[in-house]
Amino acid sequence: MESPRFDVAVVGAGICGIAAAKFYLDIHPNCKLILLENDASVGGVWNQSRVFDTFYTQSPFGTWEYSDMPMPQPPEEDMFNGVFKAKYTSQYLEDYIDRHMYMGQTIRQRIKFNFGVQRITKGNGGWIISGRDPSGQAVLQSSKLIIASGLTSVPNMPNLPGHERFHNPILHQKDFGQSAILSTSDLENITVLGGAKSAADLVYDCVQAGKRVTWIIRKTGTGPGFFVSAESRVSPRTIYALSTARIITTLSPSLFNADSWWNRFLQRTRMGRKQLAKFWIATDKAVAEAPNFNDRGLEARKNGFQNLKPHTPVMWQNQGAGLINRPNFWDTIAQNVQVYHEDIQELGEGTIRLKTGEDIHCDAILCGTGWIPSLDFFDQGLLAELGIPQAVENYPPDQAKIWKALENDADQEVLDRFPILANPPEHYHTPVTETPYRLYKGIAPLRDDSIAFVGHVLVANYFRVAECQAIWATAYLDGRIKLPPLEQRRKDVALFVAWCRRRYLSNGDRGHWIASEQTGYTDTLFHELGLSSHRRFWLWDAFVPSNKKDLHRVRAEYINKFGQEIGLGSSAEKNGTTGGHHQIRNSSQELSETHPLFKPHQAAGSVRSIHTTSSPSRPSISSTARICASQARSPKSAVSWSWLRKILPRVGR
């Protein structure tokens, strides 16, 4: 049987994959688009099979959703100081794919669930995707490809010598929610591995279930993460506001900040750097206030509680980070958990031996050890060609030489712009075993305009970044972006990689870590597209935190600038949840396909058209700008600046 061919295939139906499919269909409602999802539900790390009752979001309610569809507020008992249980994100995503319909077919109906992609190659004028579903092997073809498999799909399992002798459960956090670890009475002694937020959640949940818990953070690693408590004096909503207000983002040595007099003052003058140092010292003190590592009493010291103190300052983010959304977290850990900062030598029968020689009795091991990117379906040759990570020893030597020269030159430029990055604190640097991502704007390969990667940068809030990347990727795949020459794009990629390594130390080696750059990064994407309706007027633009409302007019502005294929449009739009305007070109007709991967759906006739002319229902860019300005001047659009007045005076003290 001939394999079916699609216009676009999206690999992964998490937050970024859904956003990419949705916006592409907004512009091309007639296209044959399929999403390939390995699990039985959407959401990636937020899907229904992976969340559990005590799993909470990291972002406050109202910020963790797409801009075109609000999330119903969870009940008060399922919220904690603004953050909420992850199960509501899972349900929200399920509702989202049902609410959006194009040519009589919802996004859900375009998803092939339980399809594990095994190999992707180029051929037949496009991409050939081989995989396996419950019915067996399957192959499909696609003219364009969007890789949204993300950074949290494949568990990063630690190498544990002697694991075959252990005979007890060893689980990754991915499988924790569906396991019976907490309810099994025979599993009394639990050991959690890892120093980041996911490990902290596992530790807390096990203690609350009455288990005896040991927490091991390896010595040959970047150490424990820094955690901000949702119970601190600064609420999660204020933390989010601070991290997304453009005036506050200038306090970070960010490549995405404009080269303005203000940023030059802060980053390149002695007086400016002195003020920055005060800000980051104050931030370190604020983060250390809740755990109070040095004054917890004798019992906490015996338990090794001080081993949870981060090894590097907050600004550098050499280790993991997260929002602690559990009540009395630090007291619970200090009083009930034995914490080790040591490497594991081997496992025995029901035991863990540390390199100090100490044996720990253990009934189960839980691994909060993170993830690796899901990219193993590409052949080695394609990895280098596309600019995605591969083992250093497998990278072509001639290409390695070229990139080394470019990145050395870029490194000097980084230090000229950000002198503070020349003197990092003493830290453990994880050995480099893979090449970094080398994607233009974190999305596009340098030499192939038929494929885009979304969700392969690490950020704090994926909903906003997912929407912005989806818009940029659609324009890129449609050839709507006027890209710089290849040599300039190479230099841009080298500059980003060099900056990332300097800015984020070990975490920056992968070339995708932009945890503090969400606002600047999305501004950069829209700037290259020539879109501006997400910006505010004058001081509002600098001081008001970025939020989902910023994106309400972007879709209409995009269509006004680049055009839109004539089609039936989205049912969600008709319900008033999206902006813009679709026209019906001609009546729809049924397309029947015999291959099981393709579900019949309504499509327009053979005539396909791009609508580019202005109409009364679609505002011009100039009128959009006037609307934006008038709303910015309105007192109703302004957010209280009280948080800014409280924070800024501390910086100069």
Side-chain angles (χ1 to χ4, degrees):
M1 182 183 297
E2 183 180 354
S3 57
R5 189 173 187 99
F6 296 88
D7 297 321
V8 180
V10 181
V11 178
I15 292 172
C16 295
I18 292 171
K22 183 262 179 189
F23 191 79
Y24 198 89
L25 287 166
D26 277 348
I27 306 305
H28 304 281
N30 300 315
C31 81
K32 291 173 61 177
L33 181 147
I34 188 171
L35 294 95
L36 304 173
E37 172 53 50
N38 188 50
D39 289 317
S41 56
V42 299
V45 72
W46 305 95
N47 78 42
Q48 293 176 336
S49 66
R50 290 167 65 174
V51 302
F52 44 95
D53 192 56
T54 54
F55 182 18
Y56 280 72
T57 63
Q58 292 281 286
S59 297
F61 177 75
T63 67
W64 191 242
E65 59 193 39
Y66 296 117
S67 64
D68 68 320
M69 184 175 132
M71 178 188 293
Q73 181 161 342
E76 190 63 33
E77 61 268 21
D78 287 341
M79 299 185 69
F80 181 68
N81 287 1
V83 297
F84 53 96
K85 289 187 176 182
K87 64 183 181 181
Y88 294 99
T89 296
S90 304
Q91 187 58 53
Y92 172 79
L93 293 172
E94 295 288 342
D95 293 342
Y96 192 87
I97 61 174
D98 289 329
R99 287 279 302 276
H100 289 76
M101 179 179 292
Y102 303 85
M103 307 307 294
Q105 190 178 27
T106 64
I107 293 178
R108 179 185 296 279
Q109 290 172 314
R110 297 170 185 265
I111 301 175
K112 180 65 177 176
F113 289 103
N114 298 307
F115 186 94
V117 175
Q118 296 173 327
R119 190 181 185 209
I120 298 178
T121 58
K122 298 182 73 173
N124 298 334
W127 296 90
I128 302 172
I129 306 169
S130 304
R132 186 174 185 83
D133 63 15
S135 63
Q137 292 295 127
V139 177
L140 62 90
Q141 301 180 56
S142 181
S143 300
K144 298 175 183 178
L145 190 60
I146 298 176
I147 301 298
S149 50
L151 303 173
T152 56
S153 296
V154 180
N156 178 33
M157 291 296 289
N159 179 27
L160 299 173
H163 63 87
E164 68 281 356
R165 300 192 299 270
F166 185 62
H167 300 313
N168 290 338
I170 302 177
L171 292 181
H172 189 267
Q173 66 198 75
K174 179 178 181 179
D175 303 310
F176 176 71
Q178 302 301 312
S179 73
I181 293 289
L182 298 184
S183 60
T184 303
S185 58
D186 291 342
L187 304 178
E188 296 181 0
N189 300 286
I190 308 296
T191 296
V192 177
L193 309 183
K197 172 63 167 56
S198 56
D201 286 345
L202 295 174
V203 168
Y204 183 89
D205 288 346
C206 289
V207 173
Q208 292 298 103
K211 308 295 185 181
R212 288 193 292 269
V213 183
T214 301
W215 189 352
I216 300 177
I217 302 170
R218 64 189 176 104
K219 183 172 283 188
T220 52
T222 56
F226 68 87
F227 305 125
V228 179
S229 175
E231 294 180 303
S232 66
R233 289 182 296 174
V234 183
S235 71
R237 187 168 297 280
T238 301
I239 293 171
Y240 180 84
L242 287 170
S243 67
T244 60
R246 291 182 178 87
I247 189 65
I248 300 299
T249 62
T250 63
L251 303 178
S252 173
S254 174
L255 193 65
F256 298 102
N257 289 337
D259 190 22
S260 64
W261 69 268
W262 172 249
N263 283 307
R264 288 194 294 272
F265 164 73
L266 287 176
Q267 303 296 338
R268 301 182 203 175
T269 69
R270 185 174 299 178
M271 183 181 297
R273 291 196 295 273
K274 185 177 180 180
Q275 297 305 311
L276 289 180
K278 290 180 179 180
F279 171 81
W280 287 109
I281 289 172
T283 301
D284 285 327
K285 289 181 179 179
V287 171
E289 183 177 315
N292 191 17
F293 294 109
N294 298 322
D295 192 22
R296 280 278 178 176
L298 181 61
E299 184 177 7
R301 286 198 296 273
K302 286 182 178 179
N303 288 340
F305 182 73
Q306 67 277 7
N307 288 326
L308 294 177
K309 186 176 182 179
H311 297 171
T312 53
V314 170
M315 189 199 86
W316 297 89
Q317 295 187 34
N318 189 50
Q319 62 282 317
L323 179 71
I324 293 298
N325 37 37
R326 303 292 200 277
N328 302 314
F329 174 84
W330 294 112
D331 290 341
T332 300
I333 302 304
Q335 297 167 15
N336 298 284
V337 179
Q338 184 68 49
V339 183
Y340 292 91
H341 183 227
E342 190 54 74
D343 291 323
I344 294 174
Q345 180 172 317
E346 62 179 351
L347 303 186
E349 187 172 353
T351 61
I352 298 174
R353 171 161 292 184
L354 302 178
K355 286 197 172 179
T356 59
E358 183 174 353
D359 287 334
I360 299 170
H361 178 61
C362 180
D363 299 320
I365 296 175
L366 302 179
C367 301
T369 47
W371 313 85
I372 56 178
S374 178
L375 297 166
D376 57 353
F377 36 69
F378 287 112
D379 292 340
Q380 285 293 326
L382 268 178
L383 293 175
E385 180 183 333
L386 296 174
I388 50 181
Q390 66 179 123
V392 171
E393 60 270 20
N394 295 332
Y395 197 70
D398 57 331
Q399 289 296 309
K401 185 177 180 180
I402 292 171
W403 282 111
K404 183 176 181 180
L406 287 170
E407 288 162 12
N408 284 341
D409 291 343
D411 187 64
Q412 187 57 53
E413 181 179 346
V414 170
L415 295 181
D416 290 343
R417 291 177 60 177
F418 308 107
I420 191 175
L421 300 183
N423 299 296
E426 183 178 349
H427 65 283
Y428 179 88
H429 206 101
T430 306
V432 177
T433 60
E434 288 191 328
T435 59
Y437 280 92
R438 291 190 173 108
L439 298 169
Y440 182 65
K441 303 302 181 188
I443 300 174
L446 291 174
R447 293 182 176 273
D448 196 323
D449 59 3
S450 67
I451 180 173
F453 293 79
V454 296
H456 282 265
V457 293
L458 195 146
V459 295
N461 189 307
Y462 273 100
F463 277 96
R464 180 183 178 89
V465 171
E467 289 193 72
C468 298
Q469 283 195 328
I471 295 167
W472 196 96
T474 297
Y476 173 76
L477 293 173
D478 286 347
R480 300 286 182 179
I481 304 176
K482 186 178 180 180
L483 296 172
L486 175 61
E487 192 56 35
Q488 183 58 51
R489 278 179 282 145
R490 280 180 178 271
K491 291 180 180 179
D492 288 350
V493 170
L495 180 63
F496 175 73
V497 170
W499 168 81
C500 210
R501 287 171 176 158
R502 287 281 185 178
R503 174 67 180 86
Y504 291 114
L505 307 179
S506 290
N507 281 329
D509 281 337
R510 186 61 68 85
H512 73 327
W513 193 282
I514 53 173
S516 299
E517 275 72 35
Q518 172 183 305
T519 299
Y521 174 66
T522 54
D523 283 348
T524 299
L525 295 182
F526 285 147
H527 177 75
E528 187 159 44
L529 292 175
L531 304 179
S532 59
S533 62
H534 66 294
R535 302 298 293 262
R536 294 182 176 85
F537 179 71
W538 199 39
L539 290 177
W540 279 263
D541 192 59
F543 288 94
V544 176
S546 300
N547 59 59
K548 64 179 183 179
K549 293 180 181 179
D550 301 342
L551 305 182
H552 283 177
R553 293 179 293 272
V554 172
R555 177 180 175 275
E557 184 187 9
Y558 181 99
I559 293 172
N560 189 72
K561 182 179 180 67
F562 295 117
Q564 173 194 34
E565 182 180 305
I566 303 304
L568 189 61
S570 165
S571 63
E573 174 194 325
K574 295 172 185 177
N575 292 329
T577 57
T578 62
H581 175 70
H582 285 289
Q583 289 186 351
I584 302 175
R585 172 81 175 184
N586 44 28
S587 60
S588 61
Q589 62 183 28
E590 191 76 21
L591 286 181
S592 60
E593 297 283 347
T594 57
H595 196 280
L597 281 175
F598 184 78
K599 301 183 181 73
H601 69 282
Q602 298 291 325
S606 58
V607 178
R608 297 176 66 154
S609 166
I610 299 293
H611 183 81
T612 57
T613 59
S614 297
S615 69
S617 60
R618 182 183 300 127
S620 65
I621 296 178
S622 59
S623 64
T624 300
R626 287 195 297 272
I627 294 170
C628 188
S630 65
Q631 289 189 354
R633 295 189 187 99
S634 170
K636 293 181 179 180
S637 68
V639 176
S640 172
W641 291 10
S642 60
W643 56 269
L644 192 61
R645 291 195 294 269
K646 292 178 182 178
I647 296 297
L648 290 183
R650 300 182 182 181
V651 176
R653 290 178 184 173

